[in-house]
Short mmCIF file of all heavy atoms in Angstrom, two decimals:
data_model
loop_
_atom_site.label_atom_id
_atom_site.label_comp_id
_atom_site.label_asym_id
_atom_site.label_seq_id
_atom_site.Cartn_x
_atom_site.Cartn_y
_atom_site.Cartn_z
N PHE A 1 135.03 143.44 -77.27
CA PHE A 1 133.83 144.17 -77.31
C PHE A 1 133.15 143.64 -78.67
O PHE A 1 133.74 143.72 -79.65
CB PHE A 1 134.08 145.60 -77.39
CG PHE A 1 132.83 146.46 -77.45
CD1 PHE A 1 132.26 147.07 -76.20
CD2 PHE A 1 132.34 146.83 -78.66
CE1 PHE A 1 131.18 147.82 -76.30
CE2 PHE A 1 131.16 147.48 -78.73
CZ PHE A 1 130.57 148.09 -77.54
N GLU A 2 131.79 143.24 -78.59
CA GLU A 2 131.17 142.77 -79.67
C GLU A 2 130.20 143.84 -80.13
O GLU A 2 129.29 144.32 -79.33
CB GLU A 2 130.40 141.55 -79.32
CG GLU A 2 131.30 140.18 -79.21
CD GLU A 2 131.84 139.71 -80.60
OE1 GLU A 2 131.17 140.10 -81.55
OE2 GLU A 2 132.76 139.03 -80.57
N GLU A 3 130.19 144.20 -81.40
CA GLU A 3 129.30 145.19 -81.99
C GLU A 3 127.95 144.55 -82.37
O GLU A 3 127.77 144.44 -83.63
CB GLU A 3 129.99 145.96 -83.13
CG GLU A 3 129.08 147.09 -83.61
CD GLU A 3 129.36 148.34 -82.75
OE1 GLU A 3 130.22 148.40 -81.89
OE2 GLU A 3 128.73 149.35 -83.01
N THR A 4 127.28 143.99 -81.50
CA THR A 4 126.01 143.46 -81.66
C THR A 4 125.03 144.01 -80.71
O THR A 4 125.36 144.49 -79.72
CB THR A 4 125.97 141.88 -81.50
OG1 THR A 4 126.49 141.45 -80.31
CG2 THR A 4 126.67 141.18 -82.63
N TYR A 5 123.70 144.04 -81.12
CA TYR A 5 122.76 144.95 -80.50
C TYR A 5 121.54 144.06 -79.94
O TYR A 5 120.42 144.58 -79.77
CB TYR A 5 122.21 146.00 -81.43
CG TYR A 5 123.24 147.06 -81.70
CD1 TYR A 5 124.19 146.76 -82.67
CD2 TYR A 5 123.41 148.09 -80.86
CE1 TYR A 5 125.21 147.67 -82.91
CE2 TYR A 5 124.37 149.12 -81.10
CZ TYR A 5 125.28 148.93 -82.11
OH TYR A 5 126.24 149.80 -82.37
N PHE A 6 121.77 142.83 -79.48
CA PHE A 6 120.78 142.11 -78.71
C PHE A 6 120.77 142.60 -77.27
O PHE A 6 121.94 142.91 -76.83
CB PHE A 6 120.99 140.55 -78.93
CG PHE A 6 120.83 140.17 -80.40
CD1 PHE A 6 121.83 139.82 -81.18
CD2 PHE A 6 119.47 140.01 -80.82
CE1 PHE A 6 121.61 139.40 -82.50
CE2 PHE A 6 119.25 139.63 -82.05
CZ PHE A 6 120.33 139.24 -82.94
N PRO A 7 119.71 142.35 -76.61
CA PRO A 7 119.71 142.71 -75.09
C PRO A 7 120.91 141.93 -74.26
O PRO A 7 121.10 140.71 -74.49
CB PRO A 7 118.43 142.22 -74.65
CG PRO A 7 117.55 142.26 -75.82
CD PRO A 7 118.32 141.89 -76.96
N GLY A 8 121.54 142.71 -73.51
CA GLY A 8 122.69 142.08 -72.74
C GLY A 8 123.96 142.10 -73.52
O GLY A 8 125.06 141.85 -72.83
N ASP A 9 124.02 142.41 -74.79
CA ASP A 9 125.34 142.40 -75.48
C ASP A 9 126.08 143.67 -75.09
O ASP A 9 125.58 144.57 -74.46
CB ASP A 9 125.10 142.53 -76.97
CG ASP A 9 124.61 141.11 -77.53
OD1 ASP A 9 124.58 140.13 -76.75
OD2 ASP A 9 124.22 141.03 -78.73
N ASP A 10 127.41 143.67 -75.48
CA ASP A 10 128.32 144.81 -75.10
C ASP A 10 127.76 146.14 -75.56
O ASP A 10 127.71 147.18 -74.80
CB ASP A 10 129.63 144.63 -75.76
CG ASP A 10 130.38 143.39 -75.06
OD1 ASP A 10 130.15 143.09 -73.91
OD2 ASP A 10 131.16 142.79 -75.92
N ALA A 11 127.25 146.28 -76.77
CA ALA A 11 126.78 147.49 -77.33
C ALA A 11 125.54 148.07 -76.60
O ALA A 11 125.53 149.34 -76.28
CB ALA A 11 126.52 147.46 -78.84
N THR A 12 124.54 147.13 -76.30
CA THR A 12 123.34 147.60 -75.60
C THR A 12 123.69 147.92 -74.21
O THR A 12 123.07 148.80 -73.63
CB THR A 12 122.18 146.61 -75.91
OG1 THR A 12 122.72 145.36 -75.46
CG2 THR A 12 121.69 146.55 -77.29
N ARG A 13 124.51 147.16 -73.54
CA ARG A 13 124.95 147.45 -72.18
C ARG A 13 125.62 148.83 -72.17
O ARG A 13 125.40 149.65 -71.35
CB ARG A 13 125.76 146.35 -71.69
CG ARG A 13 126.36 146.53 -70.30
CD ARG A 13 126.93 145.27 -69.84
NE ARG A 13 128.05 144.79 -70.59
CZ ARG A 13 129.23 145.02 -70.40
NH1 ARG A 13 129.64 145.85 -69.53
NH2 ARG A 13 130.21 144.50 -71.21
N MET A 14 126.43 149.08 -73.19
CA MET A 14 127.20 150.40 -73.23
C MET A 14 126.18 151.48 -73.26
O MET A 14 126.20 152.58 -72.67
CB MET A 14 128.19 150.41 -74.29
CG MET A 14 129.03 151.68 -74.50
SD MET A 14 130.03 151.65 -75.96
CE MET A 14 128.74 151.65 -77.37
N LEU A 15 125.16 151.36 -74.30
CA LEU A 15 124.34 152.57 -74.64
C LEU A 15 123.25 152.75 -73.66
O LEU A 15 122.82 153.85 -73.42
CB LEU A 15 123.74 152.17 -76.03
CG LEU A 15 124.63 152.30 -77.20
CD1 LEU A 15 123.95 151.81 -78.41
CD2 LEU A 15 125.10 153.62 -77.39
N TYR A 16 122.76 151.64 -73.05
CA TYR A 16 121.51 151.85 -72.21
C TYR A 16 121.59 151.40 -70.75
O TYR A 16 120.74 151.68 -69.96
CB TYR A 16 120.32 150.92 -72.89
CG TYR A 16 120.11 151.28 -74.25
CD1 TYR A 16 120.43 150.34 -75.35
CD2 TYR A 16 119.58 152.49 -74.56
CE1 TYR A 16 120.19 150.64 -76.65
CE2 TYR A 16 119.40 152.84 -76.00
CZ TYR A 16 119.59 151.91 -76.97
OH TYR A 16 119.47 152.20 -78.25
N ARG A 17 122.75 150.84 -70.24
CA ARG A 17 122.86 150.49 -69.04
C ARG A 17 124.13 150.96 -68.31
O ARG A 17 124.28 150.76 -67.10
CB ARG A 17 122.85 148.91 -68.89
CG ARG A 17 121.63 148.27 -69.65
CD ARG A 17 121.63 146.77 -69.40
NE ARG A 17 121.34 146.52 -68.01
CZ ARG A 17 121.64 145.42 -67.43
NH1 ARG A 17 122.42 144.48 -68.00
NH2 ARG A 17 121.31 145.12 -66.18
N SER A 18 125.00 151.65 -68.92
CA SER A 18 126.17 152.21 -68.45
C SER A 18 126.20 153.71 -68.25
O SER A 18 125.90 154.45 -69.11
CB SER A 18 127.40 151.79 -69.28
OG SER A 18 128.63 152.39 -68.76
N PRO A 19 126.48 154.15 -67.00
CA PRO A 19 126.48 155.63 -66.81
C PRO A 19 127.69 156.30 -67.42
O PRO A 19 127.76 157.52 -67.58
CB PRO A 19 126.46 155.86 -65.31
CG PRO A 19 127.08 154.48 -64.77
CD PRO A 19 126.69 153.46 -65.75
N ALA A 20 128.72 155.52 -67.75
CA ALA A 20 129.93 156.02 -68.42
C ALA A 20 130.29 155.18 -69.57
O ALA A 20 130.93 154.13 -69.29
CB ALA A 20 130.95 156.26 -67.48
N MET A 21 129.75 155.43 -70.79
CA MET A 21 129.92 154.54 -71.85
C MET A 21 131.37 154.12 -72.24
O MET A 21 131.70 153.05 -72.71
CB MET A 21 129.14 155.04 -73.18
CG MET A 21 127.65 154.95 -72.95
SD MET A 21 126.86 155.34 -74.59
CE MET A 21 127.27 156.92 -74.91
N TRP A 22 132.20 155.12 -72.12
CA TRP A 22 133.69 154.92 -72.42
C TRP A 22 134.35 153.78 -71.67
O TRP A 22 135.39 153.25 -72.12
CB TRP A 22 134.44 156.33 -72.30
CG TRP A 22 134.74 156.70 -70.94
CD1 TRP A 22 133.87 157.62 -70.13
CD2 TRP A 22 135.81 156.40 -70.17
NE1 TRP A 22 134.38 157.80 -68.95
CE2 TRP A 22 135.63 157.04 -68.84
CE3 TRP A 22 136.95 155.58 -70.26
CZ2 TRP A 22 136.49 157.02 -67.86
CZ3 TRP A 22 137.82 155.47 -69.22
CH2 TRP A 22 137.70 156.16 -67.96
N THR A 23 133.76 153.41 -70.53
CA THR A 23 134.36 152.46 -69.64
C THR A 23 134.13 150.95 -70.07
O THR A 23 134.84 150.15 -69.53
CB THR A 23 133.97 152.65 -68.23
OG1 THR A 23 132.62 152.36 -68.09
CG2 THR A 23 134.21 154.04 -67.63
N VAL A 24 133.14 150.80 -70.86
CA VAL A 24 132.71 149.37 -71.09
C VAL A 24 133.85 148.59 -71.83
O VAL A 24 134.06 147.46 -71.40
CB VAL A 24 131.33 149.45 -71.89
CG1 VAL A 24 131.05 147.94 -72.36
CG2 VAL A 24 130.28 150.02 -71.02
N ALA A 25 134.28 149.11 -73.02
CA ALA A 25 135.17 148.30 -73.75
C ALA A 25 136.52 148.03 -73.01
O ALA A 25 136.94 146.91 -72.88
CB ALA A 25 135.52 149.02 -75.02
N PRO A 26 137.19 149.04 -72.35
CA PRO A 26 138.34 148.65 -71.56
C PRO A 26 138.03 147.81 -70.37
O PRO A 26 138.97 147.06 -69.96
CB PRO A 26 138.90 150.11 -71.16
CG PRO A 26 137.73 150.96 -71.18
CD PRO A 26 136.99 150.49 -72.34
N GLY A 27 136.81 147.93 -69.81
CA GLY A 27 136.56 147.00 -68.59
C GLY A 27 136.41 145.53 -69.03
O GLY A 27 136.54 144.70 -68.26
N ASN A 28 136.22 145.31 -70.30
CA ASN A 28 136.12 143.92 -70.85
C ASN A 28 137.46 143.24 -70.94
O ASN A 28 137.54 141.99 -71.13
CB ASN A 28 135.42 143.82 -72.21
CG ASN A 28 133.95 144.11 -72.00
OD1 ASN A 28 133.36 144.17 -70.90
ND2 ASN A 28 133.27 144.17 -73.12
N GLY A 29 138.52 144.05 -70.94
CA GLY A 29 139.83 143.45 -71.24
C GLY A 29 140.15 143.09 -72.77
O GLY A 29 139.25 143.46 -73.62
N HIS A 30 141.17 142.34 -72.95
CA HIS A 30 141.50 142.06 -74.31
C HIS A 30 141.14 140.60 -74.76
O HIS A 30 141.06 139.64 -74.06
CB HIS A 30 143.10 142.11 -74.55
CG HIS A 30 143.55 143.47 -74.57
ND1 HIS A 30 143.64 144.23 -75.76
CD2 HIS A 30 143.93 144.43 -73.61
CE1 HIS A 30 144.01 145.49 -75.47
NE2 HIS A 30 144.36 145.48 -74.22
N ARG A 31 140.76 140.51 -76.05
CA ARG A 31 140.63 139.17 -76.78
C ARG A 31 141.83 138.87 -77.58
O ARG A 31 142.20 137.71 -77.79
CB ARG A 31 139.32 139.15 -77.66
CG ARG A 31 139.08 137.79 -78.32
CD ARG A 31 137.85 137.88 -79.14
NE ARG A 31 136.70 138.14 -78.40
CZ ARG A 31 135.51 138.14 -79.00
NH1 ARG A 31 135.32 138.09 -80.25
NH2 ARG A 31 134.40 138.51 -78.23
N PHE A 32 142.36 139.90 -78.12
CA PHE A 32 143.57 139.92 -79.00
C PHE A 32 144.57 140.96 -78.55
O PHE A 32 144.24 141.97 -77.98
CB PHE A 32 143.24 140.14 -80.46
CG PHE A 32 142.14 139.15 -81.10
CD1 PHE A 32 140.88 139.64 -81.05
CD2 PHE A 32 142.60 137.88 -81.50
CE1 PHE A 32 139.81 138.74 -81.64
CE2 PHE A 32 141.64 137.02 -81.96
CZ PHE A 32 140.30 137.51 -82.05
N PRO A 33 145.82 140.79 -78.84
CA PRO A 33 146.83 141.76 -78.54
C PRO A 33 146.57 143.01 -79.47
O PRO A 33 146.02 142.94 -80.65
CB PRO A 33 148.18 141.13 -78.96
CG PRO A 33 147.87 139.67 -78.84
CD PRO A 33 146.46 139.61 -79.29
N PRO A 34 146.86 144.22 -79.05
CA PRO A 34 146.66 145.37 -79.82
C PRO A 34 147.37 145.30 -81.25
O PRO A 34 148.49 144.83 -81.27
CB PRO A 34 147.22 146.53 -78.95
CG PRO A 34 147.14 146.12 -77.59
CD PRO A 34 147.38 144.65 -77.76
N GLY A 35 146.67 145.77 -82.31
CA GLY A 35 147.25 145.89 -83.61
C GLY A 35 147.27 144.54 -84.37
O GLY A 35 147.65 144.59 -85.59
N GLU A 36 146.67 143.51 -83.84
CA GLU A 36 146.66 142.23 -84.60
C GLU A 36 145.31 141.78 -85.23
O GLU A 36 145.32 140.95 -86.03
CB GLU A 36 147.18 141.18 -83.67
CG GLU A 36 148.66 141.31 -83.26
CD GLU A 36 149.05 139.98 -82.51
OE1 GLU A 36 148.32 139.10 -82.38
OE2 GLU A 36 150.21 140.11 -82.01
N HIS A 37 144.20 142.51 -84.83
CA HIS A 37 142.94 141.99 -85.35
C HIS A 37 141.98 143.27 -85.42
O HIS A 37 141.85 144.02 -84.47
CB HIS A 37 142.39 140.99 -84.26
CG HIS A 37 141.05 140.51 -84.67
ND1 HIS A 37 140.82 139.56 -85.56
CD2 HIS A 37 139.80 140.86 -84.24
CE1 HIS A 37 139.51 139.28 -85.67
NE2 HIS A 37 138.87 140.07 -84.89
#
């Protein structure tokens, strides 16, 4: 999940295009293992 606010980015998709904001980050899967980054 990228905390950037350009159109189409994760954060703007979460805030303005998703009916359930909490689902966006887990729906993206992992970039790193938990606890390492």
Side-chain angles (χ1 to χ4, degrees):
F1 184 94
E2 288 286 342
E3 188 81 9
T4 53
Y5 289 84
F6 292 104
D9 287 353
D10 293 328
T12 51
R13 178 165 57 90
M14 177 184 70
L15 292 171
Y16 303 113
R17 307 187 70 209
S18 174
M21 290 193 292
W22 69 270
T23 64
V24 172
N28 286 354
H30 285 275
R31 183 183 298 180
F32 304 96
E36 294 187 5
H37 180 81

